Amino acid sequence: MTALVVSRILQGLGVMLAMSLIVFVGVYAIGDPVEILINPDADQATRAEVTRSLGLDRPVWEQYGLFLFNALQGDLGRSFVFNMPAIELILERMPATLELAIAATLLAVLLGIPLGLVAGMKPASRTGRTIMAGSILGFSLPTFWVGLLLILVFSIWLGWLPSFGQGETVDVLGIPVSFLTADGLAHLILPALNLALFKLALLIRLTRAGVKEVMPQDYIRFARAKGLTGRRIIGLHVLKNILIPIVTVIGIEFGSVVAFAVVTESIFNWPGMGKLIIESIYMLDRPVIVAYLMVIVVLFVVINLVVDLLYSALDPRVRLKAMPA
Amino acid sequence: MTDMSVGRQSAKTKPGAPRPRSQLADFAAQFAESRAAVIGLVVLAVMVLAAIFAPLIAPQDPYDLASLSILDARLPPGTESMNGYVFWLGTDGLGRDLFSAILYGLRISLAVGVMSAVFALIIGTSLGLTGAYFGRRLDAVIMRLVDLQMSFPPILVALILLAVLGRGVEKTMIALIVVQWAYYARTVRATALAERSKEYMDAARCLRLGHIQILTRHLLPNCLPPLMVVLTVQMAHAVTLEATLSFLGVGLPETQPSLGLLIANGFRYLINGTYWISIFPGIALLVVILSINLVGDQLRDMLNPRLNR
Amino acid sequence: MSAPILEIEGLRTQFATRRGTAHSVNGITLSLQRGEILGLVGESGSGKSVTGLSVLGLIEPPGRIVGGQVRLEGVDLVTASEPVLRSIRGGRIAMIFQDPMMTLNPVLSIETQMVEAVRAHAAVSRADAIEWAAAALGRVGIPSPHERLKAYPHQFSGGMRQRVVTAIALLHDPAVVIADEPTTALDVTIQAQILALVQTLVRESQTAMIWISHDLSVVSGLCDRVAVMYGGRIVELGPTEDVLTRPSHPYTRGLIDSIPGDAVPAQRLRQIPGMPPSPFAMPAGCAFAPRCTRRTAECDADMPPLATVGHNRAARCVHPLWATPE
C-alpha cells in the first residue's frame, strides 16, 4: 500500500513538473513575460524592475529554475486587478468552487446510481426506457443553456429559488460555506443541479451498463439461491461489483466538474475560482491565469491519487496484487 | 489484397440476413434498425441543409445593420413588424429577426464544429497511425502527449489556450483541434496495433510495399469504422464546446455570432422575462447535438461492439 | 415408501425470446424421497438445468414457469410468494452451481458471503454466525477455517472454492440439495474429491439430492435413481443400476454407448447421429424419433407417455428396448 502511494505521488510530481515546463514555455518563451506578468499600464521603471526580478537577462534554463523556485514558494506573480498575490486570490476562491463541485457530484451520485439501477434491472420497462431517454437528453443538453433554463423557470417564472451568488455563508474552520444556512442552501441548489446534469447522465449509463453485466452472473444467482433479499443482493452484491468502475469515473470526473464550474459559476455568479478565471481572462490578468493553471494541475494530481487509492480499497484483487507476496 | 483489408468489420453480415446485399445497403439496413437514429439523421440533414442555404431561407440578413430597426427590438414571438413581416420567433436586442439570426448562427456553429473535428481527425489519425506503425520512441512520445492531453478536461484546456491566444474564429478552431486530436490518435493507434499483428500485414510487407502505401491502403481502411464513431461523438462535443466558449465570451468574436453567442446576448434580457432570445437558439443547438448523438449511438453499437456500454 | 420430500408435477418452463418461445421444460414429473440421490441426466439444452432452477423459482424473465407444481413437503412452490420462496432457498432447498469460479462474488470476502447466508435463515449474532460458518468450512475439509474466512474467492483454488460453495449450501441442513454439474468445471482428480465429499456429507445428514449432470459415469457411482432428460421431458426413469445395464429408451442406450470408459479400446466411439431438437420447434411426436433407429410412423404421431417398463421403471418410448411384462 505504501509503495503504491509513494509511486503515485512520484508520478504526480512528474506530471506537475511537465506541466510547469509547458506553462513556462507558454508564458515565458513564446509570449513576452513582461507583457504577460505585469499590468499593461505599468511605467518603464516598473517594467525594468520586473524584468530584473524575473531574471530575464539570464539563460533560459536558469529562468526556468527561477520560475520553479518561485512557484515552489507559492510565488506565481501578483494580480494587478486585485493587487494581491495571484495564488492567494485563487486559494481564497477555491472553497466556493469545491463546495459547488462536491454538491454537484453528490447530487449526481445520489440520483444517478439509483436511476441507473432501476434502468438496469428493468431495461425493457417504460421506466427504464424513460430513464435512458433522459440520459441521452442529459448528454446532449449544453450545460450553460440548461443553467439559463433553470434560472428562467425556477427563479423568474416560479420565483422559488435564487439564482445569483452564494447567499448567506457561515465560516467553518475559517472557510465560508453556503450549505449550512437555509439561504445558502437555497442558493446552492440551482447551480449544483446545473453542474450535476451531465455527470448524472453519465452515471445513469454507467450504472445501467454495470447492472446489465453483473445481473446474469452466477454469483448473483447463487446469492438468490442462498435466500437473500432482493435489497441485499442489489445493495451489496450488485452494487459493490459495479461500484469499482463507478468510483473511478466519479473521481476522474470530479476534475472535470471543477473545470465545468467555470461555466456554472459565470451563469449563477457563484464566487468561485471559475468565475475568477473568466474575469481574469477578460481583464488580461495573466498571473491569475498562470496561478489557476498550476493550482488545477495540483488538484488533478491529488484527485488521481485519491482515485487510485479508493480503487485499490474497493477491489480485493487489486489490493492484494499491490501487496508484496 | 484490397478485398482482404477493406471493411473487415463492416462486412460482417448479421446471421439471418435474407440474402447477400451490397455492403452499403447492408450498412443502411442495420442503421435503420434504430428508429431514433434514423430520425436523428433526418433532422440532422435538415439542419445542415438549413445552415448551408441560410442566406436563401432567412427572411432577413441579420448582419445588414441598415435593415434593422431598434424599434423592433425584443418583440415577442409572433409579433408583426411595421412593414407587415411576422417575427415568428421574436427579435433580439438589436431588433434582428431571431429566426434569421438562428439560421446564420447555426451556419457558423456547424462550420466551426465540423471543420475543427475534421482537422482534428486528420492530425490525430496521422499521428496515431505513424506512432503505431513505426512504434518505439515516436509512439511513446505521441502516447505520452495523448495521456497528458486527456488527463485534463477539454473545456479547461480550450479556456486556457484562448486566454493566451485571444478571441477569434481561427483561434477557437485551434483550441478545438488541440482538445480533440488525442481521441482520434488513441482510437487509431489501438485499432492499428491490433491490425498490424495480422497476417495480411506481413504479406504486405513481404510484397515490399512502401510505408506510405501500407499505411494508407491497408492500415487506414481498417481504422475507419471506429474513427467514424469517434468523429460523430467528437462533432457533437466540438459544437457544444464552441457554443460554451462563445457563451463565456472567449470563443468566437461578436462579428461571427454563433448559437452560443446568441444565447449569451439573450442572457442579459432573461431577467425581465424576455426568454426567447436565449431559449430559441438553445433549442436549435440542442436539436443539432441530440441528433448527432442519436446517430453516433447507433453507429457505435454497429461498428464498435467493444465500446458498447 | 414414505411420503416424498419433493414432488415435481407437470412442470413446464418457457422463455419468450425474440426468435419465439423456447420450450425448455415440457412437463416434468418427478418425486424425491428423503435421503435419496437422483441423477438428472441429459445433453446440454435438454432442460435439466432449467428444471433445477425452476424448483427454486430462480427463473428470470424472459423465462417463466407456465404450468405444473413443485411441492416441498406438500407445499407448492410455484404459486408461493417471494418471501416464502426466500425462506426455502438456502434453507430447506440449497443449490450448488456448475462453475465455482463464478459462483462466489469476487469482491466480497468468504466471511461476508457465509455470514449473510447463515443470517438469512437463522436469527443469530454476527459472532455466532462466524462460528457457524467456520464450523461449516471445517466440515468440508478446509484447514484453519477462521483465517480462511477473511480471504476472498480469488485466493482459493477451484476445488477449494467448490468446497466453500458446498459448505454454504449445507449451512442449514437442507432437506434437498440441487447440484448443477458441480464437478464439471474441475480437474479430474479434484472432481473425485468433491464427489466423495458431497456424497459423504449428504449420506451422513440424510439429505435428498438432485445431481444434474451430462456425465453418466459420475451418476452411476453416486445416484440411487436416474432420470434421463431429452427435449425438456423425462424419457427414462429408474434405479441407476437397472437403467444403465438394461436401458429401455434408445436415447439412454445412445448415451451409454458414447461413454469412453465402456468402449472397447481401439474401437471408434459410437455417437448418436443428428442434433437435439430445437426448443423453438418441438416435434409433436417423440422428440428423439428423428435420430432414432427404431423409428416408425407411430413415433411421429403422438408424444408417447412415460409408461411403466418394469419395477420402479418407466420410459417414454413406443418401442422400448427392454420391458418386463407385468
Side-chain angles (χ1 to χ4, degrees), chain A residues 43-126:
Chain A
D43 57 21
Q44 207 54 44
T46 324
R47 277 166 190 273
E49 161 65 26
V50 170
T51 310
R52 205 171 38 252
S53 75
L54 291 174
L56 294 175
D57 36 351
R58 311 225 191 102
V60 180
W61 61 267
E62 219 172 288
Q63 287 180 38
Y64 176 61
L66 194 67
F67 170 80
L68 259 193
F69 182 72
N70 286 336
L72 281 178
Q73 290 177 321
D75 179 8
L76 292 163
R78 281 181 87 80
S79 158
F80 34 77
V81 174
F82 294 88
N83 196 25
M84 62 190 285
I87 190 83
E88 255 175 54
L89 193 58
I90 299 277
L91 291 178
E92 195 182 284
R93 300 292 188 92
M94 192 150 75
T97 297
L98 289 181
E99 183 182 1
L100 182 60
I102 290 169
T105 305
L106 276 178
L107 213 55
V109 169
L110 293 181
L111 292 175
I113 294 182
L115 285 175
L117 282 176
V118 172
M121 307 292 294
K122 304 203 180 312
S125 71
R126 180 171 295 188

Side-chain angles (χ1 to χ4, degrees), chain C residues 7-11 27-31 69 227 234 237 306 316:
Chain C
E7 293 163 284
I8 304 172
E9 202 174 301
L11 180 72
I28 293 274
T29 301
L30 264 180
S31 63
Q69 286 197 331
I234 290 177
L237 179 67
L306 191 61
R316 194 186 285 280

Side-chain angles (χ1 to χ4, degrees), chain B:
Chain B
M1 204 65 230
T2 345
D3 282 345
M4 283 171 68
S5 55
V6 176
R8 210 158 253 266
Q9 288 171 341
S10 58
K12 268 184 214 149
T13 45
K14 288 191 94 178
R19 62 196 151 83
R21 281 175 296 193
S22 78
Q23 262 185 39
L24 195 66
D26 204 53
F27 187 82
Q30 212 184 331
F31 183 83
E33 273 176 21
S34 161
R35 205 168 35 164
V38 175
I39 295 173
L41 191 63
V42 170
V43 171
L44 187 62
V46 170
M47 299 289 269
V48 169
L49 288 177
I52 292 174
F53 297 108
L56 299 177
I57 304 168
Q60 187 194 57
D61 180 355
Y63 307 118
D64 180 9
L65 292 173
S67 74
L68 302 180
S69 162
I70 199 70
L71 293 175
D72 287 338
R74 283 180 280 147
L75 295 176
T79 315
E80 201 172 317
S81 80
M82 275 168 290
N83 50 20
Y85 169 71
V86 180
F87 298 114
W88 290 111
L89 300 182
T91 60
D92 74 0
L94 293 173
R96 267 193 275 245
D97 171 38
L98 211 52
F99 177 63
S100 308
I102 289 174
L103 281 177
Y104 276 82
L106 190 62
R107 197 174 151 91
I108 297 164
S109 286
L110 278 176
V112 171
V114 171
M115 269 160 63
S116 63
V118 170
F119 275 122
L121 171 101
I122 294 170
I123 295 171
T125 305
S126 318
L127 286 175
L129 263 188
T130 329
Y133 185 71
F134 292 105
R136 299 187 194 191
R137 290 271 276 284
L138 186 62
D139 189 37
V141 170
I142 292 174
M143 286 327 283
R144 281 291 84 74
L145 272 177
V146 167
D147 286 346
L148 191 66
Q149 165 72 62
M150 292 181 68
S151 58
F152 292 92
I155 175 106
L156 194 70
V157 177
L159 202 64
I160 297 295
L161 266 175
L162 288 172
V164 176
L165 296 173
R167 275 170 103 165
V169 178
E170 301 82 17
K171 289 163 183 167
T172 306
M173 283 184 52
I174 290 174
L176 291 179
I177 293 167
V178 167
V179 298
Q180 287 185 79
W181 71 274
Y183 295 89
Y184 298 101
R186 195 181 59 165
T187 310
V188 158
R189 179 175 174 272
T191 320
L193 280 184
E195 285 305 317
R196 205 170 67 129
S197 56
K198 289 188 183 161
E199 279 174 21
Y200 74 94
M201 285 300 302
D202 291 335
R205 253 177 249 129
C206 288
L207 288 171
R208 297 194 166 253
L209 299 179
H211 287 320
I212 300 288
Q213 212 174 354
I214 292 179
L215 275 170
T216 55
R217 292 264 184 82
H218 301 289
L219 267 183
L220 190 58
N222 283 292
C223 298
L224 284 182
L227 270 180
M228 270 175 68
V229 177
V230 178
L231 181 66
T232 35
V233 173
Q234 286 302 317
M235 265 187 203
H237 282 173
V239 171
T240 316
L241 191 54
E242 178 273 312
T244 307
L245 292 168
S246 298
F247 174 81
L248 289 174
V250 296
L252 299 184
E254 296 281 354
T255 51
Q256 300 284 339
S258 72
L259 293 174
L261 217 52
L262 288 179
I263 297 170
N265 287 338
F267 186 27
R268 67 182 93 127
Y269 303 114
L270 197 68
I271 305 300
N272 45 34
T274 312
Y275 65 90
W276 56 90
I277 309 178
S278 276
I279 298 309
F280 290 136
I283 291 174
L285 184 62
L286 170 65
V287 170
V288 169
I289 298 167
L290 189 61
S291 51
I292 299 180
N293 279 344
L294 288 175
V295 172
D297 253 25
Q298 177 68 357
L299 281 182
R300 183 179 53 193
D301 286 353
M302 286 165 60
L303 299 176
N304 210 343
R306 272 168 303 157
L307 283 177
N308 189 357
R309 28 183 219 183

Side-chain angles (χ1 to χ4, degrees), chain C residues 36-41 203 216-228 236-247 252 256 312-313:
Chain C
E36 180 187 29
I37 303 183
L38 174 85
L40 198 56
V41 181
R203 292 283 186 220
L216 274 180
S217 52
V218 169
V219 167
S220 69
L222 178 72
C223 302
D224 305 312
R225 277 198 305 154
V226 60
V228 180
E236 179 154 14
L237 179 67
T240 310
E241 171 120 28
D242 296 353
V243 171
L244 293 189
T245 49
R246 293 183 302 272
T252 314
I256 294 167
N312 281 335
R313 289 192 61 181

Side-chain angles (χ1 to χ4, degrees), chain A residues 148-164 183 186-187 189-190, chain B residues 270-271 273:
Chain A
L148 299 195
L149 278 186
L150 288 174
I151 292 178
L152 184 66
V153 174
F154 293 102
S155 299
I156 298 172
W157 285 352
L158 297 173
W160 288 353
L161 291 165
S163 65
F164 195 88
D183 181 56
H187 279 82
I189 292 175
L190 284 186
Chain B
L270 197 68
I271 305 300

Side-chain angles (χ1 to χ4, degrees), chain C residues 2 11 34 84 128 169 191 222 245 272 281 299 316:
Chain C
S2 59
L11 180 72
R34 254 168 240 282
V84 171
D128 288 346
Q191 261 189 34
L222 178 72
T245 49
I272 310 170
C299 298
R316 194 186 285 280

Side-chain angles (χ1 to χ4, degrees), chain C residues 23-69:
Chain C
H23 301 259
S24 294
V25 175
N26 304 309
I28 293 274
T29 301
L30 264 180
S31 63
L32 198 62
Q33 302 295 323
R34 254 168 240 282
E36 180 187 29
I37 303 183
L38 174 85
L40 198 56
V41 181
E43 293 167 288
S44 49
S46 61
K48 53 192 195 306
S49 291
V50 176
T51 305
L53 291 171
S54 300
V55 169
L56 269 182
L58 289 176
I59 297 294
E60 275 160 67
R64 204 164 67 85
I65 298 177
V66 294
Q69 286 197 331

